[in-house]
Amino acid sequence: MSLDVTQILLSAQSADGSIRKHAEESLKQFQEQNLPGFLLSLSSELANNEKPEESRRLAGLILKNALDAKEQHRKSELFQRWLVLDAVVKAQIKSLLLQTLSSPVASARSTSSQVIAKVAGIEIPQKQWPELIGSLLSNIHLVQPNVKQATLETLGYLCEEVSPEAVDQDQVNKILTAVVQGMSASEGNSEVRLAATRALYNALGFAQVNFSNDMERDYIMRVVCEATQSPEEKIRQAAFECLVAISSTYYDKLATYMQDIFNITAKAVRGDEESVALQAIEFWSSICDEEIDILDEFSTDFTADSDVPCYYFIKQALPALVPMLLETLLKQEEDQDLDEGAWNLAMAGGTCLGLVARTVGDDIVPLVMPFVEENITKPEWRNREAATYAFGSILEGPSADKLAPLVNVALNFMLSALLKDPNNHVKDTTAWTLGRIFEFLHGSALETPSVITNENCQQILTVLLQSMKDVPNVAEKACGALYFLAQGYVDAGSASPLTSFFQDIVQSLLVTSHREDAGDSRLRTAAYETLNEVVRCSTEETAPIVLQLVPVIMMELHQTLEAGKLSTDEREKRSDLQGLLCGCLQVIIQKLGGMESTKFSFLQYADQMMDLFLRVFACRNASVHEEAMLAIGALAYAAGSNFVKYMAQFYQYLEMGLQNFEEYQVCAITVGVVGDLCRALEDKILPYCDGIMTQLLKDLSSNQLHRSVKPPIFSCFGDIALAIGENFEKYLIYAMPMLQSAAELSAHTAAADDEMLDYTNQLRDGILEAYSGILQGFKSSPKTQLLMPYAPNILQFLDALYNGKDMDDSVMKTAIGVLGDLADTLGVHAGPLISQSTSSKQFLDECLSSDDPLVKESADWARIAVSRAVSG
C-alpha cells in the first residue's frame, strides 16, 4: 500500500473538517490492514529530519498511543499486540527511535523519548531490549548537548514507565550517576541540566539502595540543593519538585539535611519567582502529610507497625516556619476569590499553615494569634484578609478547649465583618472561616460545649441569610457556612434552634438557587447542597415545610425537561441542574419516607416523581443517571412493595445501568439500587431476576469493569436470594462457582499495600454477604439440601480467613455470621462438617471475646446456632 504518509499526517491536522476526517480514515485503514508497516512508517517519519515538524510530531503521538492506553484492558491488548509483532520490524522501529534522539528538532527528540520509554515499559519487564539502558548511557558521554538532553529526558520517562524491580541495581547506579552528573553545576548547558533534574524526579523510586548509603545520599542531596540555587527558574523549580518527592519517599532519611533545607526554602519563599516559591512551600506541606499519617497510625493502633518513627520536623521548625508562612498570606492576588482554579503564594501558605495546625495541634495557636490580632483591624484589606485566613486555617488540629475562648471573642467581630467589610475578599474569607468554626467547634460529637448557643444562633442565621444575597463568591461561602451550621444539628432533634427559622432558611436557599448569576460560580450547587443538609436535620415539627418543597423541586425538574433545543454548553448546565434536583429529591424522599407522620402524604407524589425520573433517564446523560438512580433507590425503599407498579417501565434503565462498564460509578450505584429493590419488593422482584442475574454474572466475568464494582455485585447475590428465597435455586449453579473462585482468590491474596488490603477485605465482605443471604434465603425451605455440596467450600473459606489473620472487624463480623447462618440453615447436616473444621471453634472463641460489640453480638448468635447443629 503506497501512501504519502507525510501528506496524510499533515491533512489529519487540517482546519478543514472533511480533509481531516478523510486523513484519519486513511490512517485507521492503514493500521488495520498492515500494522507492522504502519508502525514502521510512523517511526521513519519521526526519524527523518527532512520531514516537516508537524507530521513528525503527530507520527510520534500516534506511535505512543499504539503502545499505551488509560483503560487497563486496552493497555493489556496493546502490550500483547506489540510483543507478538515480528522481531525484525520491532528492531527496525527501535533503531529509528534511538536515531531520532540526535535530531536537531527538539519536539522530535522529546516525542521519541516518550515512545522509547513506552516500548521499554513493555519489553524490559519481559527481559527484552537488554541493551537499551547501556546504549542510552553511552550517549551521555557524547559532546552534543541536544543528544545528552534527549537521552536524560528518555531515562526520566523510562523510570516512570518501568518498575524498579525490573532493572538491576548495577544499571540503576549507572542511571543515577548519569542523571546526578547531568544536574551538577559543572554542566554548562542549562537544557541538559533541566532534563537531568526532571529525570531525577522520576528516578527517585529507583534510589532506595542509594539513599540507604550515607555517602551516596549526601551526594544526591547536595546536588539537588545546589540546583535550587541555579540561575535558571525552571531548574530551581524542578529541583524543589525533587525535594518534595524526596520528603515523602525518604522522610526517614532527612534529619541531617533539615536545617539547610529550611534555609533554602525560606529564601525561595521570600524572594524567588512564584513557581519556585510554591514548590518550596509544598516541601513543608509534604512533610506535614507524612507526619500526620505517622501520628495517625500511632494514635489509632497501639501496636503500630509503622517502620518510620516521627521525627517531629514540623514541631522543631515551628518558631521559624510559622512566621514565614504568615508572611505569604499577605501576597494575595486581586481576583483570586473569583477564579475557582486559582493557586498562588497566599493560598499555598494558608494551606500549609492548616496542615501545620493538624500536625502540631495546640502549639501553633500562640504563634498565629498575635498576627491575627495585629492585622484584623488594619485599614489595608490585605492585612484583614490575611488575619482572617490565618485564623480560619488553624481551626482544625488544636483542641476545642484551646480554640473555643478565641472563637467566642472572634465570632461577633466576624459576623459584623461579613456584613460590613467594604472588601469582597475579606467577606469571602470571613464566610469561609465561619464555616470552619461551625465544622470543627459545633455539633453533638464535641466533648466541649459548642460555640453556637440558642442565643447567638439567631444572629448567625440572620447574617448568613443576608450574605446569601451578596456577590456570588461571598454568597457561595455563606451557603457553605450554613451547611456546616445545619450539619451540627443533625442529631439535635426537636432541640434544634434552626426549627423556628426553618421556613426562612429554605426560602432563602431557593431564592439563592434561582439567582441569575448562580451559574457563574459554584453558587447554585452550594445552595442545593446546603438545602439537602438542612432537610437532613429537619424534625417532625418542620416536616410539613419539607413536604411543601416536594412539588416545588418537582416543578423545577419538570421545567428542565421541557427545554427546547440547547447548545452543548446549555445541555451541560441543564444536566448539572437535573443532577442537583434529583439529589435534592433523594434527600427529601429519605427524610419524609422515614417518618410515619409524613410517609402517607408524601407517597401521593410517588407516581409523578417516578415519571420525572424516567424522563431524566431518557435524556441519556450518565451523571444524571447516577443522581436519578440514587433517588429511585430511596423511593423504592420508601414505597416498599408498592414500587412494583413502576418496574415494567423502569427495568430497561436498570439494565442499562448494570451494563454501563465505562462509567463504573453508575454501574456500582445501579447494583446498590438492585439491593434496595430486593428489600422493597421481596419476592415481587422475581419476574425481573433472570435479567438482573444474567447481567450481574456478565459484569463479574468482564475484565473491562472496574474492580471496585465486584464486591457490591457479590453482596447483591445475597440480597436477591433473601428476596426470592428458594427460587434462587436455578442461579446456584452459576453463582456458587463464581463465589467459590473469588473466595479462594481473596483468601490467599497477600496484600501488597493498604489499598490492596482494603479492596481484598471489601471483596471478602461481599462474598460473605452473598453466602449469608443465600443461606438465610433457603432457611426452612424443603430445598435446603441443595446447599449441602457447597458447605465444605464455605467452611474452607472461613478457615482460610481465620488463618490469614488480616481480616478487618467488618469481615470478622460477617464471617462469624456466615458460620451461624450455615449452622442455622443446614442444622444437623452441617454439624459434622463444622466439628471437622480446623478453626471454627477458635474463630468463634476469638469473636466472643472481641472488643467490638457488633462482632460479639454476631458471635453470640452463631454460638447458639452452632451448638444446636453440632449436638443435634
Side-chain angles (χ1 to χ4, degrees):
M1 183 186 226
S2 103
L3 281 176
D4 182 352
V5 172
T6 308
Q7 192 47 56
I8 295 175
L9 288 166
L10 293 172
S11 300
Q13 302 173 69
S14 162
D16 181 325
S18 60
I19 295 178
R20 202 167 58 239
K21 189 162 187 261
H22 182 66
E24 285 166 358
E25 279 167 6
S26 301
L27 286 167
K28 190 173 176 212
Q29 201 179 356
F30 186 6
Q31 178 169 2
E32 284 166 0
Q33 290 173 358
N34 179 4
L35 181 69
F38 176 69
L39 297 175
L40 202 48
S41 298
L42 292 173
S43 317
S44 304
E45 186 76 22
L46 178 59
N48 189 337
N49 288 326
E50 308 295 309
K51 298 290 184 182
E53 187 174 346
E54 294 76 17
S55 66
R56 296 175 75 182
R57 191 187 296 126
L58 184 59
L61 186 65
I62 296 171
L63 259 178
K64 193 171 93 171
N65 291 339
L67 296 166
D68 197 10
K70 279 201 175 80
E71 295 81 24
Q72 196 51 52
H73 69 100
R74 178 76 183 133
K75 195 186 185 100
S76 307
E77 282 170 18
L78 295 175
F79 273 31
Q80 283 312 312
R81 192 176 77 171
W82 172 264
L83 288 169
V84 299
L85 213 60
D86 178 68
V88 176
V89 174
K90 281 193 289 196
Q92 286 174 294
I93 292 172
K94 292 189 291 196
S95 166
L96 287 162
L97 289 170
L98 287 168
Q99 189 185 315
T100 312
L101 292 181
S102 54
S103 165
V105 180
S107 66
R109 295 198 302 272
S110 182
T111 309
S112 184
S113 290
Q114 293 172 49
V115 181
I116 290 170
K118 292 291 178 195
V119 175
I122 300 173
E123 294 203 350
I124 286 179
Q126 306 288 328
K127 301 278 183 268
Q128 297 178 16
W129 210 0
E131 70 280 11
L132 169 66
I133 292 175
S135 66
L136 288 173
L137 291 168
S138 64
N139 279 353
I140 298 282
H141 304 300
L142 297 178
V143 182
Q144 304 122 298
N146 62 338
V147 182
K148 219 170 179 178
Q149 178 270 332
T151 304
L152 286 163
E153 190 175 340
T154 309
L155 286 169
Y157 287 133
L158 186 140
C159 291
E160 204 174 7
E161 295 294 333
V162 178
S163 79
E165 299 76 62
V167 183
D168 66 57
Q169 188 57 41
D170 181 47
Q171 287 197 311
V172 168
N173 294 343
K174 287 177 180 165
I175 291 172
L176 283 168
T177 303
V179 167
V180 176
Q181 278 173 355
M183 282 177 71
S184 73
S186 59
E187 172 54 61
N189 184 295
S190 61
E191 291 298 315
V192 171
R193 199 173 176 198
L194 178 61
T197 311
R198 287 181 174 160
L200 179 66
Y201 178 85
N202 288 330
L204 283 167
F206 286 69
Q208 300 283 355
V209 171
N210 314 78
F211 260 79
S212 302
N213 174 313
D214 292 356
M215 271 175 59
E216 291 183 35
R217 183 178 64 247
D218 284 348
Y219 179 51
I220 295 171
M221 291 300 290
R222 195 185 80 231
V223 172
V224 173
C225 290
E226 277 172 8
T228 65
Q229 307 302 304
S230 158
E232 297 286 328
E233 179 186 337
K234 281 184 174 169
I235 294 175
R236 296 197 302 277
Q237 181 186 339
F240 273 114
E241 283 169 4
C242 288
L243 275 181
V244 173
I246 289 168
S247 70
S248 57
T249 315
Y250 300 110
Y251 167 85
D252 58 328
K253 304 276 192 287
L254 285 177
T256 50
Y257 313 107
M258 285 310 274
Q259 187 57 56
D260 291 337
I261 293 176
F262 180 80
N263 295 339
I264 57 179
T265 52
K267 182 178 160 209
V269 170
R270 291 189 165 117
D272 210 328
E273 299 297 326
E274 184 172 76
S275 65
V276 182
L278 286 172
Q279 288 304 320
I281 293 176
E282 185 59 32
F283 173 83
W284 291 101
S285 292
S286 172
I287 293 284
C288 288
D289 286 334
E290 290 303 309
E291 297 198 342
I292 288 168
D293 283 351
I294 294 168
L295 295 168
D296 266 0
E297 260 183 57
F298 282 146
S299 63
T300 52
D301 180 5
F302 294 112
T303 58
D305 54 353
S306 169
D307 306 329
V308 182
C310 185
Y311 287 94
Y312 298 100
F313 293 138
I314 298 295
K315 199 171 182 151
Q316 290 164 32
L318 216 50
L321 180 60
V322 171
M324 174 180 92
L325 294 173
L326 291 171
E327 281 172 40
T328 65
L329 303 188
L330 292 158
K331 296 180 180 171
Q332 309 95 325
E333 284 170 11
E334 287 292 342
D335 53 357
Q336 67 183 39
D337 49 356
L338 301 177
D339 174 6
E340 224 178 285
W343 187 245
N344 57 42
L345 212 54
M347 298 169 90
T351 303
C352 187
L353 193 64
L355 288 166
V356 171
R358 286 176 52 202
T359 312
V360 302
D362 288 358
D363 291 352
I364 197 170
V365 177
L367 293 169
V368 171
M369 285 316 291
F371 176 85
V372 176
E373 287 154 8
E374 184 189 338
N375 288 285
I376 197 84
T377 53
K378 288 245 174 101
E380 165 62 38
W381 73 264
R382 288 177 185 282
N383 297 71
R384 299 196 304 280
E385 194 276 339
T388 313
Y389 190 19
F391 189 57
S393 297
I394 63 165
L395 290 168
E396 183 187 7
S399 63
D401 287 342
K402 187 85 175 169
L403 291 172
L406 302 171
V407 169
N408 287 329
V409 173
L411 197 56
N412 277 340
F413 183 90
M414 299 192 90
L415 292 170
S416 164
L418 184 52
L419 287 183
K420 296 178 185 156
D421 198 286
N423 183 279
N424 282 339
H425 278 280
V426 178
K427 288 201 270 194
D428 180 298
T429 305
T430 303
W432 172 80
T433 299
L434 284 166
R436 304 254 304 168
I437 290 173
F438 305 152
E439 183 179 3
F440 299 114
L441 294 166
H442 155 62
S444 53
L446 278 183
E447 281 153 26
T448 48
S450 167
V451 295
I452 315 298
T453 60
N454 288 359
E455 291 70 42
N456 64 17
C457 190
Q458 178 173 356
Q459 182 198 359
I460 291 168
L461 281 167
T462 309
V463 171
L464 292 181
L465 298 189
Q466 182 62 36
S467 289
M468 278 154 53
K469 298 174 187 158
D470 209 321
V471 293
N473 57 299
V474 175
E476 180 205 321
K477 302 288 193 310
C479 286
L482 180 53
Y483 173 96
F484 287 116
L485 183 67
Q487 195 176 65
Y489 289 120
V490 161
D491 305 320
S494 55
S496 167
L498 299 189
T499 303
S500 43
F501 302 98
F502 202 82
Q503 180 83 51
D504 294 344
I505 295 171
V506 168
Q507 198 51 45
S508 295
L509 286 165
L510 286 173
V511 168
T512 304
S513 72
H514 292 145
R515 278 173 53 160
E516 286 291 309
D517 54 6
D520 299 347
S521 61
R522 280 191 74 260
L523 179 54
R524 180 171 289 127
T525 306
Y528 280 113
E529 284 174 352
T530 305
L531 182 60
N532 294 351
E533 203 53 39
V534 168
V535 168
R536 278 192 200 100
C537 76
S538 59
T539 58
E540 292 274 352
E541 216 174 320
T542 48
I545 303 170
V546 178
L547 194 57
Q548 288 165 20
L549 257 181
V550 178
V552 175
I553 303 289
M554 276 174 29
M555 190 60 194
E556 291 190 20
L557 188 53
H558 174 77
Q559 282 164 355
T560 68
L561 293 162
E562 295 300 305
K565 251 186 130 24
L566 300 171
S567 69
T568 314
D569 190 37
E570 286 169 331
R571 245 201 327 274
E572 200 174 310
K573 281 192 169 162
R574 175 187 73 169
S575 154
D576 289 346
L577 180 56
Q578 286 176 342
L580 291 169
L581 293 166
C582 289
C584 188
L585 283 171
Q586 182 208 347
V587 175
I588 293 172
I589 292 165
Q590 284 172 328
K591 193 72 196 182
L592 298 178
M595 284 188 193
E596 285 310 315
S597 57
T598 49
K599 194 170 180 170
F600 179 72
S601 341
F602 156 71
L603 282 172
Q604 293 177 339
Y605 292 110
D607 289 2
Q608 291 162 273
M609 251 190 258
M610 198 60 200
D611 181 51
L612 285 169
F613 294 146
L614 293 173
R615 286 180 63 192
V616 168
F617 280 129
C619 290
R620 285 283 188 289
N621 184 303
S623 67
V624 168
H625 273 191
E626 233 169 285
E627 304 293 347
M629 195 56 90
L630 286 165
I632 285 175
L635 188 60
Y637 191 74
S641 59
N642 293 330
F643 190 86
V644 74
K645 63 180 173 180
Y646 309 121
M647 280 301 290
Q649 277 179 290
F650 171 51
Y651 180 72
Q652 59 168 319
Y653 298 113
L654 187 76
E655 197 163 54
M656 275 163 52
L658 293 175
Q659 287 164 352
N660 197 339
F661 289 172
E662 286 71 38
E663 284 130 353
Y664 66 89
Q665 292 93 336
V666 176
C667 186
I669 283 166
T670 311
V671 170
V673 169
V674 172
D676 293 333
L677 292 169
C678 289
R679 286 181 281 279
L681 299 177
E682 294 180 328
D683 60 357
K684 289 184 184 168
I685 198 169
L686 192 56
Y688 303 97
C689 283
D690 281 3
I692 291 171
M693 280 299 292
T694 303
Q695 199 47 57
L696 292 176
L697 290 163
K698 263 191 202 157
D699 285 355
L700 283 175
S701 314
S702 159
N703 59 357
Q704 292 176 27
L705 184 63
H706 195 274
R707 68 178 194 185
S708 64
V709 189
K710 297 193 174 180
I713 291 177
F714 285 127
S715 178
C716 197
F717 286 175
D719 294 329
I720 293 170
L722 266 177
I724 63 173
E726 62 181 36
N727 293 304
F728 195 81
E729 172 190 352
K730 62 174 166 179
Y731 308 125
L732 284 173
I733 56 165
Y734 307 105
M736 288 312 237
M738 277 209 164
L739 281 165
Q740 190 184 329
S741 61
E744 279 169 16
L745 194 69
S746 82
H748 301 113
T749 302
D753 51 40
D754 288 352
E755 194 184 327
M756 192 61 200
L757 182 61
D758 283 348
Y759 174 71
T760 304
N761 274 321
Q762 284 165 13
L763 193 59
R764 292 165 176 173
D765 229 350
I767 295 163
L768 291 163
E769 282 173 359
Y771 282 144
S772 178
I774 292 166
L775 287 162
Q776 288 178 39
F778 277 83
K779 184 172 158 55
S780 61
S781 143
K783 296 183 176 173
T784 46
Q785 283 310 301
L786 293 169
L787 298 180
M788 269 311 288
Y790 306 109
N793 290 326
I794 296 176
L795 284 165
Q796 255 171 352
F797 180 42
L798 296 178
D799 280 347
L801 287 180
Y802 176 70
N803 294 322
K805 299 287 181 232
D806 57 356
M807 280 182 286
D808 60 19
D809 282 349
S810 169
V811 173
M812 201 177 229
K813 171 182 151 310
T814 325
I816 205 64
V818 167
L819 181 65
D821 290 328
L822 188 80
D824 192 38
T825 298
L826 299 176
V828 291
H829 303 290
L833 285 171
I834 295 173
S835 302
Q836 288 157 24
S837 148
T838 53
S839 53
S840 291
K841 186 170 177 344
Q842 293 153 292
F843 189 12
L844 195 51
D845 290 343
E846 198 170 300
C847 291
L848 285 166
S849 57
S850 166
D851 296 338
D852 184 321
L854 293 172
V855 172
K856 199 169 177 325
E857 187 185 337
S858 201
D860 278 332
W861 175 81
R863 183 179 48 125
I864 296 164
V866 167
S867 65
R868 270 206 306 265
V870 171
S871 61

